[in-house]
């Protein structure tokens, strides 16, 4: 029997694939050598937001020696019906948004494909378009559900009467712009056909899902599609399902009989792979003199596309955040001539908690109450809307411990009190929450030798550390050192894994890995088993039987900003996050994920904004020079810590997801700090200097 | 055209439009340098050209005949080990560019080059100096706070 001195889970083990990544040896989707006859594809995108593509004319003199195919709806292979209409590429003459793929050039060289695509003549009949989200849009409607399956509207008590009667109320509207995930690795696929089977080297968050989706379009069962996703250069939600690049590459490979590489150019990511919907959110809070909320009302306006309904769950976090007897939440959508919004890190929570947590700050000011104390006074004992208990909730502890660590207590609550040279200085706080989920997955373990195990699951590591923490989980379940475990992920032919999304990867895959490893150990210890060198475990049944209590991670963000009195520039001097997210599986990678989320939250507060040109019907800043994400120089002091939270209602590891909670609340903490520094309340994100300067 | 890449002479027959980045990735199989934007905006393609850091996506390969290029595959520098210790990356896609950029930056620093945040007198390698000098390399995972101490400690060695 093997004994180990120390559990691996909880240890700050370095990333297993780290040495490959720092040597440039880690391979991404566009980097596989797949033969001398590799062809390159380039997409011709729609220059109009609405219309009809009547024809495509190819100049026969352009790159004539190298162009292998020009595909458009007039000649492209027919695909089977797509669940996701955006994947029905080159199937219809209808143009639903600017940037939609209208044609695909396949050529022997990258340069020839790009040049030929640029010279195609697209015969388009343009229609008028409507791309502007507004609260008085005549086509606003209330969807039935918001993602993934929440009711779009909820109501309890008498909200209107509570507002009539309340001594203190806040009624504010916050708006957030369209945002783009912008992973460093643009979406890419290298596709080839091996007989009737399809092989896709694809950058995504869910290899088995891509195999099923793309397979269905080509009338192939999932097992005939082999998706290889060894390393992923970030996704942040935008690679959660198959994107058009996978379908286009597979189609091009089929038509040309060659392997085809399609790496989308950065600019195409701003229309072809999804964005976070802009939101306009009205939050009303009513409170008694002592700060106890008597009513909460959170109404959201956001958009979807002509192609299908995507309804972001923006107000859903408000349903469990604070106690109040009277409450209402609602969402309204308008279908615009725009690309369909998709998931971007903490969809719903990230924009929704901007409005709620900034409104709470405004209420604290109206009540002359410390914003932490206001939150503590409205701590619910059970989920306020559903009435179910929380599996664990340590929000107040995050606020209090975070306040101690940040140095909140000697804060002067009045705004515009601290000035050092040209800088106004202030601090702010905001809460964070993210649901704790687990999804059915299957894992397999094989004993290769007395001291060597191979664990397999079709998971994807987007930089989350999944490969590393699954190795730790397997080692503990097998009761062997991590050096004896070889983890295989990133391949759709491995046992089926759920998506790397919803902060559910570790919980879902770790559950299956634990089950398989425990099954192998128990079969090894019973002398009768003949198949004791292999075990497989499917977590579906256990997840189905889980207690339906309220499972959420919580946290609190603290920000110190300085605002230049001359230019209005905002600098975040300090950003501190305190989290209660169950068992932390690997402190090294967990801290990085928390910090990464907080930095993306800083981007949301200060930098990130996809600027719409209503005349063109598109975002004009569609590259990394103009869509500003935080850079090295934007980061000063930033730290994340966590409570040692025990929760045995969750999964065998006792873990909550941590990939998204860092971006929830951090933007609000920064905006609240800007108010404290300057007295200027920014309600339209991002807090650009031109919005601050006129008021200071 | 001839190019010395990671110490080895390479003879290439290239389309005049081929960038150094595409020459490395598509013609020499050196995929360590990454294509993040192809417009010199993100730094993922950073390599060392005759010892200086450059965005390889902005240079046409045919202009470089006789030059020496070092890609991440040819880098052996303490900053790599420090990136592992400090978890200076998540997805790893910007990492080769960050490391090549750091190597080039430390050389610039050792030659006394100032930056936008350098005061009067010779610069010291403070965290603000590192951040300023590394700001041409974007990281969407937000591994910045881990890269800065990694680069500082590598420089101290």
């Amino acid at each position: 029997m093997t004994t180990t001195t120390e559990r691996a889970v909880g240890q700050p083990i370095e990333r297993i694939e780290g040495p490959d990544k720092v040597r440039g040896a880690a391979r991404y989707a566009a980097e596989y050598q797949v033969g001398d006859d590799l062809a390159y594809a380039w997409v011709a995108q729609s220059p109009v937001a609405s219309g009809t593509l009547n024809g495509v004319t190819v100049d026969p003199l352009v790159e004539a020696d190298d162009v292998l195919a020009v595909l458009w709806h007039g000649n492209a292979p027919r695909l089977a019906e797509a669940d996701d209409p955006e994947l029905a590429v080159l199937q219809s003459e209808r143009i639903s948004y600017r940037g939609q793929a209208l044609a695909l050039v396949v050529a022997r060289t990258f340069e020839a494909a790009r040049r030929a695509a640029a010279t195609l003549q697209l015969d388009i009949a343009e229609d008028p378009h409507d791309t502007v989200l507004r609260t008085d849009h005549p086509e606003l409607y209330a969807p039935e559900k918001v993602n993934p399956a929440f009711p779009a509207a909820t109501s309890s008590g008498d909200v209107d009467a509570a507002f009539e009667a309340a001594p203190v109320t806040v009624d504010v509207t916050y708006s957030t712009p369209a945002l783009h995930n912008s992973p460093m690795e643009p979406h890419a696929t290298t596709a080839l056909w091996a007989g009737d089977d399809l092989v896709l080297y694809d950058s995504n968050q869910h290899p088995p899902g891509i195999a099923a989706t793309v397979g269905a379009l080509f009338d192939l069962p999932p097992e005939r599609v082999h998706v290889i996703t060894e390393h992923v250069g970030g996704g942040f939600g935008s690679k959660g399902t198959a994107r058009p690049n996978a379908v286009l590459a597979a189609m091009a490979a089929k038509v040309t009989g060659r392997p085809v590489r399609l790496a989308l150019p950065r600019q195409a990511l701003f229309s072809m792979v999804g964005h976070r919907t802009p939101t306009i959110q009205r939050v009303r809070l009513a409170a008694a003199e002592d700060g106890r909320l008597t009513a909460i009302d959170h109404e959201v306006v956001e958009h979807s596309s002509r192609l299908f309904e995507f309804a972001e769950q923006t107000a859903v976090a408000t349903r469990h955040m604070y106690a109040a007897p009277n409450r209402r939440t609602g969402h309204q959508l308008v279908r615009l001539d725009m690309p369909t919004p998709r998931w971007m890190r903490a969809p719903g929570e990230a924009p929704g908690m901007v409005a709620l947590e900034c409104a709470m700050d405004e209420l604290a000011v109206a009540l002359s109450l410390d914003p932490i104390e206001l939150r503590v006074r409205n701590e619910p004992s059970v989920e306020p809307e559903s009435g179910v208990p929380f599996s664990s909730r340590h929000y107040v502890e995050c606020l209090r411990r975070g306040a101690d660590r940040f140095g909140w207590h000697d804060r002067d609550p009045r705004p515009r009190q601290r000035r050092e040279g040209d800088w106004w200085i202030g601090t702010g706080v905001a809460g964070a929450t993210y649901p704790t989920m687990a999804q059915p997955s299957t894992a397999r373990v094989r004993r290769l030798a007395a001291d060597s195990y191979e664990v397999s699951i079709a998971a994807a590591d987007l930089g989350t550390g999944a490969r590393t923490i699954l190795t730790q989980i397997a080692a503990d379940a097998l009761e062997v050192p991590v050096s004896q475990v070889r983890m295989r992920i990133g391949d759709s032919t491995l046992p089926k894994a759920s998506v790397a999304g919803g902060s559910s990867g570790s919980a879902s895959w770790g559950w299956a890995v634990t089950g398989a490893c425990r099954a192998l150990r128990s079969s090894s210890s019973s002398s009768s088993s003949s198949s004791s060198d292999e075990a497989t475990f499917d977590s579906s049944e256990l997840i189905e039987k889980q207690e339906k209590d309220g499972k959420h991670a919580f946290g609190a963000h603290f920000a110190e900003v300085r605002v230049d009195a001359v230019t209005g520039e905002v600098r975040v001097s300090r950003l501190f996050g305190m989290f209660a997210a169950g068992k932390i599986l690997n402190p090294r990678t967990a801290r990085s994920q928390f910090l990464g989320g907080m930095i993306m939250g800083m981007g949301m507060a200060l930098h990130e904004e996809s600027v719409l040109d209503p005349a063109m019907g598109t975002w004009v800043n569609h590259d990394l020079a103009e869509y500003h994400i935080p850079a090295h120089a934007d980061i000063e002091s930033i730290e994340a810590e966590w409570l040692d939270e025990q929760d045995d209602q969750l999964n065998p590891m006792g873990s909550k997801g941590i990939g998204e909670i860092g971006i929830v609340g951090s933007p609000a903490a920064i905006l609240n700090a800007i108010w404290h520094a300057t007295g200027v309340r920014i309600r339209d994100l991002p807090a650009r200097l031109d919005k601050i300067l006129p008021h200071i | 055209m001839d190019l010395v890449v990671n110490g080895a002479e390479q003879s290439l027959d290239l389309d005049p439009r081929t960038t150094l980045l595409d020459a490395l990735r598509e013609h020499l199989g050196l995929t360590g340098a990454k294509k993040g934007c192809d417009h010199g905006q993100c730094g993922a393609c950073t390599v060392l050209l005759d010892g200086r850091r450059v965005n390889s996506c902005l240079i046409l390969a045919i202009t470089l005949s006789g030059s020496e290029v070092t890609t991440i595959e040819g880098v052996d520098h303490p900053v790599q080990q420090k990136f592992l210790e400090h978890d200076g990356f998540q997805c790893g896609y910007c990492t080769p560019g960050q490391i090549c950029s750091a190597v080039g930056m430390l050389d610039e620093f050792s030659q006394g080059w100032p930056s936008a945040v350098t005061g009067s007198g010779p610069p010291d390698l403070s965290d603000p100096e590192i951040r300023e000098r590394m700001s041409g390399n974007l990281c969407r995972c937000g591994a910045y706070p881990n890269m800065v101490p990694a680069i500082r400690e590598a420089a101290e060695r």
Side-chain angles (χ1 to χ4, degrees):
Chain A
M1 184 170 170
T2 313
T3 56
T4 49
T5 51
E6 200 173 43
R7 286 178 63 80
V9 167
Q11 299 301 314
I13 291 170
E14 290 178 11
R15 286 170 204 269
I16 287 169
E17 73 283 4
D20 282 347
K21 286 183 172 173
V22 302
R23 291 200 317 261
R27 279 184 305 183
Y28 298 79
E31 300 177 348
Y32 287 81
Q33 310 299 321
V34 290
D36 294 339
D37 58 346
L38 175 70
Y40 295 81
W42 192 272
V43 180
Q45 296 179 265
S46 174
V48 305
S50 182
T52 306
L53 176 67
N54 293 318
V56 173
T57 309
V58 183
D59 184 336
L61 298 179
V62 173
E63 308 291 346
D65 294 341
D66 288 321
V67 171
L68 299 165
V70 177
L71 302 175
W72 60 291
H73 75 78
N75 65 0
R78 295 296 95 190
L79 299 170
E81 185 89 1
D83 290 339
D84 176 348
E86 292 222 36
L87 297 182
V89 288
L90 315 184
Q91 300 296 295
S92 159
E93 70 284 359
R94 183 72 219 144
I95 298 168
S96 300
Y97 58 90
R98 189 181 165 110
Q100 185 177 334
L102 296 187
L104 186 74
V105 175
V106 193
R108 288 188 177 85
T109 70
F110 169 75
E111 292 80 9
R114 182 178 57 191
R115 166 83 179 134
T119 56
L120 292 179
Q121 285 184 25
L122 306 173
D123 176 11
I124 291 171
E126 187 175 0
D127 293 331
H129 63 255
D130 176 9
T131 54
V132 181
L133 178 67
R134 48 183 224 264
T135 54
D136 60 350
H137 199 291
E139 290 168 27
L140 278 173
Y141 71 100
E144 196 180 320
K145 300 276 186 195
V146 291
N147 296 333
F150 293 106
T154 60
S155 177
S156 57
D158 189 338
V159 169
D160 296 330
F163 276 99
E164 288 281 316
V168 182
T169 59
V170 160
D171 182 349
V172 288
T173 298
Y174 278 80
S175 56
T176 61
L179 299 172
H180 280 86
N181 313 55
S182 306
M184 291 310 297
E185 181 202 17
H187 294 55
T189 308
T190 305
L192 59 104
W193 290 83
D196 289 336
D197 287 10
L198 175 61
V199 180
L200 300 173
Y201 298 89
D202 184 69
S203 182
N204 68 76
Q205 300 174 211
H206 191 203
I210 307 309
T213 302
V214 178
L217 293 170
F218 291 91
D219 285 321
L220 291 173
E223 60 273 17
R224 303 280 299 281
V225 184
H226 186 183
V227 177
I228 297 150
T229 306
E230 202 179 354
H231 298 288
V232 183
F236 311 109
S238 70
K239 296 174 180 172
T241 54
R243 304 285 72 229
N245 49 289
V247 185
L248 289 166
M251 187 187 275
K254 188 159 193 127
V255 168
T256 60
R258 291 165 175 252
V260 172
R261 180 167 295 158
L262 173 55
L264 292 181
R266 172 61 57 184
Q267 289 75 4
L269 268 61
F270 285 78
S271 48
M272 280 180 64
V273 301
H275 62 278
R276 191 198 298 283
T277 176
T279 69
I280 304 167
Q281 307 176 51
R282 183 181 181 195
V283 174
R284 295 195 299 152
L285 302 172
E289 300 281 8
D290 65 0
R292 283 190 171 75
L293 288 165
T294 55
I296 303 175
D297 185 7
H298 190 171
E299 305 287 344
V300 181
V301 170
E302 53 199 21
H303 85 79
S304 189
S305 71
R306 299 287 181 201
L307 289 171
F308 71 104
E309 181 181 283
F310 180 99
E312 178 136 330
Q313 65 274 39
T314 305
V316 166
T318 299
R319 296 174 186 170
H320 72 258
M321 204 58 204
Y322 299 111
N326 306 289
R327 41 203 317 137
R328 184 159 63 204
T329 61
H331 301 79
Q332 285 188 289
L333 281 180
V334 59
R335 309 279 288 265
L336 298 174
D337 298 304
M338 293 291 273
T340 313
R342 300 276 168 169
W343 307 276
M344 178 168 166
R345 203 173 202 169
E349 283 78 11
M353 288 286 280
V354 166
L356 179 65
E357 289 300 294
C358 288
M360 285 293 279
D361 201 68
E362 299 204 44
L363 180 64
V365 173
L367 287 159
S368 298
L369 190 62
D370 178 73
I372 293 178
E373 182 58 28
L374 172 65
R375 288 168 170 86
V376 171
R377 288 187 190 176
N378 290 288
E379 179 71 357
S381 55
V382 295
E383 276 198 355
E385 290 207 3
S386 66
V388 303
F390 292 99
S391 70
S392 57
R393 175 175 169 127
H394 294 97
Y395 179 42
V396 169
E397 290 81 350
C398 288
L399 288 164
R400 290 202 163 126
R401 184 91 68 88
D404 288 343
R405 296 282 294 115
F406 181 77
W408 181 264
H409 297 294
D410 56 357
R411 178 182 189 258
D412 184 335
R414 297 170 300 163
R416 213 176 160 85
Q417 296 299 309
R418 249 178 97 191
R419 173 107 183 223
E420 292 176 12
D422 283 341
W423 297 99
W424 290 107
I425 298 170
T427 54
V429 65
T433 185
Y434 196 79
T436 299
M437 297 179 276
Q439 301 175 68
S441 293
T442 301
R444 180 181 65 226
V445 57
R446 283 185 181 139
R447 192 198 328 268
L448 304 176
D451 59 353
S452 171
Y453 298 83
E454 180 191 83
V455 182
S456 305
I457 183 165
D461 189 334
L462 331 175
T464 54
R467 192 180 269 109
T468 308
I469 60 104
L470 290 177
T471 304
Q472 294 172 264
I473 290 167
D476 284 355
L478 290 164
E479 299 192 11
V480 302
V482 291
S483 59
Q484 294 187 13
V485 177
R486 180 172 161 245
M487 195 73 220
R488 287 187 64 200
I489 62 170
D491 186 322
S492 66
T493 60
L494 300 174
K496 200 167 179 175
S498 57
V499 65
S503 295
S504 68
S506 301
S508 309
W509 312 329
W511 199 327
V513 165
T514 302
C517 292
R518 285 182 182 166
L520 183 72
R521 286 192 65 238
S522 62
S523 71
S524 313
S525 58
S526 72
S527 53
S528 62
S529 173
S530 59
S531 63
S532 61
D533 283 342
E534 181 172 326
T536 300
F537 183 81
D538 177 351
S539 64
S540 303
E541 252 179 66
L542 291 180
I543 289 175
E544 182 62 29
K545 282 193 292 202
Q546 253 197 323
E547 199 73 41
K548 300 286 184 278
D549 49 6
K551 299 179 178 68
H552 311 270
F554 290 91
H557 295 277
F558 297 80
E560 179 186 273
V561 305
R562 53 186 201 279
V563 181
D564 191 304
V566 180
T567 66
E569 178 190 6
V570 180
R571 302 282 310 174
V572 180
S573 312
R574 291 194 290 147
L575 193 58
F576 181 81
M578 179 65 80
F579 301 96
K583 173 74 179 173
I584 297 301
L585 304 171
N586 181 327
R588 183 190 305 265
T589 56
R591 174 176 170 274
S592 294
Q593 264 196 302
F594 285 133
L595 294 180
M598 292 162 67
I599 289 170
M600 205 178 276
M602 181 194 294
M604 188 173 176
L606 301 179
H607 310 130
E608 296 184 37
E609 173 179 27
S610 297
V611 180
L612 180 75
D613 176 354
M616 291 167 64
T618 194
W619 299 291
V620 290
N621 55 333
H622 62 324
D623 61 36
L624 291 175
E626 297 173 283
Y627 182 88
H628 295 158
I629 66 172
H632 273 283
D634 293 310
I635 312 303
E636 299 186 9
S637 168
I638 180 164
E639 199 46 81
E641 295 181 8
W642 48 86
L643 308 176
D644 184 17
E645 186 180 62
Q646 308 287 329
D647 186 336
D648 58 10
Q649 299 293 306
L650 305 174
N651 55 57
M653 295 76 64
S655 62
K656 294 179 176 177
I658 58 171
E660 287 161 276
I661 193 168
I663 196 177
V664 182
S666 47
I670 291 168
L671 293 168
N672 293 339
I674 292 171
W675 172 82
H676 187 235
T678 62
V680 181
R681 192 61 85 170
I682 300 296
R683 299 194 184 94
D684 175 43
L685 273 60
R688 293 194 319 251
L689 54 79
D690 59 294
K691 297 176 189 171
I692 298 171
L693 193 56
H695 308 290
I696 58 171
Chain B
M1 63 164 294
D2 296 317
L3 203 58
V4 178
V5 181
N6 299 331
E9 288 209 19
Q10 300 285 354
S11 209
L12 289 161
D13 183 12
L14 295 175
D15 187 311
R17 298 167 295 186
T18 302
T19 62
L20 173 59
L21 176 62
D22 286 327
L24 293 168
R25 286 172 62 85
E26 306 299 334
H27 296 265
L28 294 173
L30 293 170
T31 55
K34 304 302 183 201
K35 186 179 281 189
C37 70
D38 219 12
H39 279 56
Q41 299 169 344
C42 78
C45 67
T46 305
V47 300
L48 299 167
L49 176 62
D50 296 325
R52 282 180 57 183
R53 52 179 174 161
V54 294
N55 286 325
S56 62
C57 73
L58 289 185
I59 304 170
L60 294 173
I62 56 162
T63 65
L64 299 177
S65 211
S67 297
E68 282 195 37
V69 176
T70 304
T71 71
I72 187 67
E73 290 90 343
V75 169
D76 182 12
H77 191 278
V79 78
Q80 289 162 294
Q81 178 59 34
K82 289 294 173 189
F83 263 54
L84 296 175
E85 292 171 16
H86 286 276
D87 207 33
F89 56 91
Q90 292 182 41
C91 80
Y93 201 76
C94 75
T95 310
Q98 298 278 0
I99 289 170
C100 287
S101 188
V103 171
M105 181 274 283
L106 291 173
D107 185 55
E108 292 160 13
F109 178 81
S110 70
Q111 294 178 45
W113 292 21
S115 82
V117 299
T118 305
S120 55
D124 64 345
L125 199 62
S126 62
D127 286 358
E129 279 281 3
I130 294 173
R131 292 184 198 121
E132 173 64 26
R133 290 165 189 256
M134 290 298 294
S135 280
N137 290 81
L138 298 176
C139 168
R140 186 54 158 165
C141 298
Y144 303 123
N146 296 345
M147 287 187 241
V148 171
I151 294 167
R152 184 186 350 101
E153 289 178 22
E156 285 163 2
R157 275 178 45 160

